[in-house]
Amino acid sequence: MQDNAKRDFNKEAQSWDDNPMRVQMAHHIADAILQQIPVSNEMDMLDYGAGTGLVTLALQPYVRSVTAADNSDGMLARLSEKAEASGLSNVKTKLLDLEKQAVPVDRYELIISSMTMHHLQDHRALISNLAAMLRPGGYLAIADLDLDDGEFHADQTGIRHDGFDRQEIVRLFAEAGLGQVTATTANTLTKEVKGKGPREFTVFLVTGRKA
């Protein structure tokens, strides 16, 4: 657990997509979700921590509707710009912070969250809250970093966890009442670590289904 300062995602929104590694990672995560979950055009999807919509928009063609939720208006504004420029009518944004707000009454067949959990203090509560927002038979998919010794992020501002033990996340899915829980590697990437040279990092995807 690291820096308790808040990261200003509003300031970063306009340049967020300029990082090719971030864009590539999002596409790998979206592909992994499509491989693990039978996504269909009968599903309403929530992307929690959607940011500028890199994963949101990659999955949008496969579902009926998308609600992109984030606690940064700047990120959501950028996502809306991209959706409007592409003429998408099934994407809407929602300002939502589950650390401060009650769980909404809306329910979904598919909920995803990508590279968001390490910014939140209580990951157990996040998984429980997202599971509660699933319709019966709905799927939850969470992607985040495996344990990384705090080396993945050069800037630790706003980082609450140095990655996660994916088997702990599997257990928390089960505790939240989800079945058919699986864990897989969604992305492997190499980054330079200051003073150490290149290091390989992995991103897991854990999925589960509500009874």
Side-chain angles (χ1 to χ4, degrees):
M1 199 170 293
Q2 299 293 325
D3 194 332
N4 287 324
K6 283 285 187 182
R7 186 168 173 181
D8 191 345
F9 287 104
N10 288 333
K11 278 188 178 179
E12 298 183 53
Q14 287 302 316
S15 60
W16 189 255
D17 296 358
D18 295 344
N19 183 329
M21 183 179 291
R22 181 177 291 138
V23 174
Q24 184 181 51
M25 183 193 303
H27 283 284
H28 282 303
I29 291 170
D31 288 343
I33 291 171
L34 291 171
Q35 289 170 14
Q36 296 298 315
I37 293 174
V39 179
S40 79
N41 59 10
E42 296 180 351
M43 288 179 163
D44 296 312
M45 182 182 94
L46 171 73
D47 184 355
Y48 183 72
T52 62
L54 292 172
V55 179
T56 309
L57 298 181
L59 293 176
Q60 171 273 330
Y62 302 95
V63 297
R64 177 168 52 199
S65 72
V66 180
T67 299
D70 204 282
N71 65 357
S72 164
D73 345 39
M75 288 284 187
L76 293 179
R78 181 71 187 111
L79 193 162
S80 293
E81 290 171 6
K82 291 160 63 177
E84 289 170 15
S86 298
L88 302 179
S89 58
N90 66 338
V91 177
K92 66 178 181 179
T93 60
K94 182 180 184 71
L95 194 62
L96 179 63
D97 186 344
L98 288 175
E99 289 190 298
K100 298 177 180 177
Q101 296 170 243
V103 176
V105 297
D106 311 280
R107 296 294 179 262
Y108 304 89
E109 284 83 19
L110 173 61
I111 297 178
I112 68 167
S113 185
S114 170
M115 302 298 285
T116 297
M117 195 162 58
H118 61 263
H119 292 291
L120 307 179
Q121 195 77 28
D122 190 346
H123 56 291
R124 181 190 298 267
L126 175 70
I127 292 168
S128 177
N129 288 337
L130 293 180
M133 296 174 69
L134 288 170
R135 292 189 177 121
Y139 293 87
L140 175 62
I142 292 181
D144 215 303
L145 290 161
D146 284 301
L147 292 170
D148 69 350
D149 302 318
E151 293 183 340
F152 182 82
H153 294 94
D155 179 0
Q156 289 287 312
T157 304
I159 305 301
R160 305 297 192 264
H161 301 273
D162 295 332
F164 300 90
D165 176 349
R166 65 173 73 181
Q167 292 309 314
E168 180 203 0
I169 305 306
V170 167
R171 289 193 298 271
L172 293 179
F173 268 53
E175 284 182 16
L178 302 179
Q180 302 177 27
V181 183
T182 64
T184 189
T185 297
N187 190 39
T188 301
L189 64 158
T190 302
K191 285 185 70 173
E192 287 286 332
V193 175
K194 188 175 181 181
K196 295 186 177 181
R199 177 185 163 180
E200 190 174 88
F201 297 91
T202 53
V203 174
F204 64 78
L205 176 71
V206 175
T207 64
R209 191 178 190 191
K210 190 168 188 173

